[in-house]
């Protein structure tokens, strides 16, 4: 991989990983409500799930999804539905005591699966495979070079957002601050779902 290709990949990775999306929003909300330690299972699930998605796209799954509109819309529908459900659960939590496992619980396995319903993750995986891997004589070597880099971006971007959420935890515990915060996070999830629908019109 040339220096120019690597630089372009770094810019794309930073732009897509650190901009708000379903993963970073959930990382922030989970850490603000439960603390950083509890949020870490989701923070770690994101790169695991995305790594699986990226690997499957690199070996041909992405081409199948692009070729099958029904499959693409199924993934989109599942992702939008899950984000709206999480937004609804989050919006009603006004105190730390209310935010229990029954209201907002995202397990490690669910965090992994969420990547397969995340249209932003699909778009990034397909873009990287198309631009840096597909059709290259050294495709396997490139995949092994790109994968660790993408996993690192996925982990550290979500860790950054989760750390921010955990730092706000004490301040949010007073009055109606947590309710307002959770409703803002819920609104961000709804807007993400709307963007997902808009992006594949």
């Amino acid at each position: 991989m040339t220096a120019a290709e690597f630089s372009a990949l770094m810019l794309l990775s930073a732009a897509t990983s650190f901009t708000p999306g379903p993963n970073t929003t959930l990382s922030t909300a989970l850490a603000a409500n439960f603390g950083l330690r509890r949020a870490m299972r989701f923070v770690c699930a994101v790169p695991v799930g995305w790594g699986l998605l990226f690997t499957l796209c690199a070996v041909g799954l992405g081409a199948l999804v692009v070729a099958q509109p029904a499959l693409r819309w199924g993934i989109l529908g599942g992702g939008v539905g899950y984000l709206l459900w999480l937004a609804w659960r989050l919006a009603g939590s006004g105190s730390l005591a209310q935010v229990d496992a029954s209201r907002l619980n995202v397990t490690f396995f669910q965090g992994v699966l969420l990547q397969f319903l995340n249209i932003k993750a699909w778009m990034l995986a397909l873009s990287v495979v198309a631009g840096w891997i597909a059709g290259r004589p050294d495709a396997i070597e490139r995949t092994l070079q790109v994968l660790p880099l993408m996993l690192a971006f996925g982990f550290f971007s979500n860790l950054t957002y989760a750390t921010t959420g955990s730092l706000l935890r004490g301040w949010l515990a007073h009055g109606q601050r947590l309710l307002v915060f959770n409703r803002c996070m819920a609104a961000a999830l709804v807007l993400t779902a709307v963007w997902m629908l808009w992006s594949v019109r």
Side-chain angles (χ1 to χ4, degrees):
M1 188 180 301
T2 65
E5 287 179 307
F6 183 76
S7 298
L9 180 61
M10 290 286 287
L11 288 172
L12 175 65
S13 302
T16 54
S17 298
F18 282 91
T19 51
N23 290 328
T24 52
T25 301
L26 275 175
S27 292
T28 307
L30 288 168
N33 286 278
F34 296 119
L36 183 59
R37 183 176 180 180
R38 176 81 174 271
M40 285 305 296
R41 66 185 183 190
F42 180 74
V43 170
C44 293
V46 170
V48 171
W50 197 87
L52 291 172
L53 174 62
F54 173 77
T55 302
L56 290 172
C57 285
V59 298
L61 178 64
L64 176 64
V65 171
V66 170
Q68 297 292 329
L71 183 57
R72 190 165 63 249
W73 280 102
I75 292 169
L76 178 64
V80 167
Y82 188 62
L83 289 180
L84 294 178
W85 179 79
L86 284 173
W88 174 71
R89 301 292 283 178
L90 185 60
S93 302
S95 70
L96 294 176
Q98 288 180 307
V99 189
D100 55 26
S102 65
R103 287 205 67 83
L104 183 64
N105 183 35
V106 182
T107 66
F108 179 86
F109 182 67
Q110 287 173 326
V112 170
L113 289 182
L114 179 59
Q115 306 317 302
F116 289 85
L117 299 176
N118 182 350
I119 198 67
K120 184 179 177 182
W122 278 99
M123 290 170 64
L124 177 57
L126 291 171
S127 296
V128 172
V129 169
W132 282 266
I133 295 172
R136 308 277 184 160
D138 57 346
I140 294 176
E141 181 182 344
R142 282 172 174 260
T143 300
L144 295 176
Q145 290 174 340
V146 170
L147 182 57
L149 177 67
M150 302 306 293
L151 295 181
F153 270 101
F155 175 77
F156 285 109
S157 62
N158 282 278
L159 180 60
T160 300
Y161 277 82
T163 301
T164 302
S166 70
L167 292 174
L168 293 173
R169 184 171 165 79
W171 182 79
L172 291 171
H174 302 284
Q176 297 293 305
R177 292 172 181 171
L178 185 65
L179 179 62
V180 174
F181 175 83
N182 282 341
R183 288 183 175 173
C184 288
M185 292 294 98
L189 289 175
V190 171
L191 289 174
T192 299
V194 171
W195 173 82
M196 287 167 61
L197 287 170
W198 180 267
S199 66
V200 295
R201 288 183 313 135

